[in-house]
Amino acid sequence: MPEILERARAQVLSDGVGLDEASILEVLKTPDEDLPELLQLAHDVRMKWCGPEVEVEGIVSLKTGGCPEDCHFCSQSGLFASPVRSVWLDIPSLVEAARQTAATGATEFCIVAAVRGPDKRLMDQMREGVKAIKAAVDIQVAASLGMLSQEQVDELVEMGVHRYNHNLETCQSFFPNVVTTHSWEERWGTLKMVRDSGMEVCCGGILGLGETIEQRAEFAAQLAELDPHEVPMNFLNPRPGTPLGDQPVVEGKDALRAIAAFRLAMPRTILRYAGGREITLGDLGTRDGLLGGINAVIVGNYLTTLGRPATDDLALLEDLKMPVKALSATL
């Protein structure tokens, strides 16, 4: 066994203490021949510190496109010549999407808006939408509405939103190469307010934006410092018309190394498959990741890209004998 994996077995598997940045970098450099052993270790860590259950979530966009920010990977930015145009979803459609999501067995439904941060119109629509969903569907409601003020954080808590998603997207040192209209520190500030409010923090990012392997390790370490409840793992699916539209797709083995490294950095965190896994990993790689540290999935389509059919993911979980997490009455 490579020395880094021996150390990780003792520190992470046995003691539940995540790896530091230097050790994460060593994991990311694991040779191909040691990848099966690395994935097995990450799976063992996931099983010991998180258990066998897999959390299933669906997402829907309340407001799509027309965003004023310049996130270079995003086709929802109004600054790029991408084909996504601004659209608002009405409340009945929101409730129907939640109902369809619950029918797949999902316990989590996330309402997303392509904005810098919510204005009064959006907060009012969120209030109405959350109330209607809770009256009609037995499902947890999460939200992703950009950067928040303290007052808006308090409003979301009062509405009954139990988890807030706000991705850091990449490490602090690389962030200015990806976004120029706001700072990494502004995102971090929103996340601290959310965590202090008692809402669960969901925070991840996108791999394959052009970051170095060292910056990938930096990102994992910064997420571990934040200690989010959940980390969505996205892999860049290059969108036509965006500045990163010609960026190459992450190699499958590199994606699996990253999944394992993030698991060894955050042994108790929900690590969720999100966008881009279909083109980066395919069916076989998706299975390998579920046996290499992943313990949650977004089913169905993403915000502007197609995902795998929910039935395919649920059939895979059944084949792997991984139970879908039941809705928690305590949240």
Side-chain angles (χ1 to χ4, degrees), residues 65-321:
C67 182
E69 305 303 289
D70 74 345
C71 306
H72 291 9
F73 52 82
C74 186
S75 59
Q76 299 201 61
S77 172
L79 304 178
F80 308 141
S82 52
V84 176
R85 290 294 171 260
S86 184
V87 178
W88 284 79
L89 197 65
D90 61 29
I91 300 303
S93 298
L94 201 60
V95 172
E96 180 56 28
R99 200 186 308 276
Q100 291 177 10
T101 296
T104 70
T107 58
E108 190 83 16
F109 181 70
C110 187
I111 301 171
V112 182
V115 291
R116 176 185 174 90
D119 57 13
K120 185 179 185 304
R121 174 191 177 188
L122 181 53
M123 291 298 288
D124 289 347
Q125 194 162 15
M126 273 294 300
R127 183 178 295 278
E128 185 181 348
V130 172
K131 181 179 179 181
I133 289 168
K134 287 182 173 290
V137 188
D138 187 19
I139 198 166
Q140 303 285 5
V141 179
S144 180
L145 311 173
M147 291 173 286
L148 302 174
S149 66
Q150 184 62 59
E151 182 182 1
Q152 290 167 334
V153 170
D154 296 341
E155 279 189 71
L156 291 172
V157 171
E158 189 269 328
M159 288 178 206
V161 172
H162 90 103
R163 184 182 295 171
Y164 193 76
N165 166 252
H166 191 52
N167 289 336
L168 287 168
E169 305 303 7
T170 189
C171 66
Q172 188 173 12
S173 70
F174 190 67
F175 189 86
N177 296 283
V178 179
V179 183
T180 68
T181 48
H182 61 265
S183 69
W184 191 92
E185 289 77 12
E186 286 177 283
R187 291 190 179 225
W188 185 270
T190 286
L191 290 161
K192 288 191 68 175
M193 284 191 290
V194 168
R195 186 174 58 187
D196 291 346
S197 77
M199 273 191 288
E200 292 181 356
V201 172
C202 171
C203 178
I206 305 174
L207 303 185
L209 299 175
E211 74 280 0
T212 64
I213 191 171
E214 289 80 9
Q215 287 169 324
R216 206 166 282 177
E218 177 193 346
F219 185 38
Q222 287 165 346
L223 285 172
E225 180 186 348
L226 179 65
D227 191 26
H229 184 82
E230 172 188 339
V231 171
M233 294 201 69
N234 298 273
F235 304 97
L236 182 67
N237 183 346
R239 297 288 83 204
T242 66
L244 295 179
D246 295 325
Q247 184 74 13
V249 171
V250 176
E251 292 286 338
K253 288 181 179 179
D254 288 337
L256 292 172
R257 269 185 278 268
I259 288 168
F262 276 56
R263 171 53 67 204
L264 296 178
M266 296 171 279
R268 294 174 177 81
T269 297
I270 293 174
L271 206 58
R272 186 183 300 278
Y273 264 148
R277 64 181 164 109
E278 296 78 17
I279 63 167
T280 295
L281 291 167
D283 290 348
L284 183 59
T286 293
R287 184 187 189 97
D288 290 342
L290 283 165
L291 294 171
I294 292 288
N295 65 328
V297 296
I298 292 175
V299 295
N301 295 332
Y302 306 110
L303 300 176
T304 60
T305 58
L306 298 178
R308 280 159 54 97
T311 49
D312 288 2
D313 281 329
L314 295 172
L316 176 57
L317 294 176
E318 183 176 0
D319 184 48
L320 295 175
K321 296 181 170 49

Side-chain angles (χ1 to χ4, degrees), residues 43-56 263 267 270-271 290-291 293-297 316-318 320-326:
H43 181 64
D44 292 344
V45 167
R46 168 266 176 112
M47 293 295 286
K48 178 172 182 178
W49 296 107
C50 298
E53 291 185 324
V54 175
E55 186 182 272
V56 176
R263 171 53 67 204
I270 293 174
L271 206 58
L290 283 165
L291 294 171
I294 292 288
N295 65 328
V297 296
L316 176 57
L317 294 176
E318 183 176 0
L320 295 175
K321 296 181 170 49
M322 292 182 180
V324 174
K325 182 179 179 182

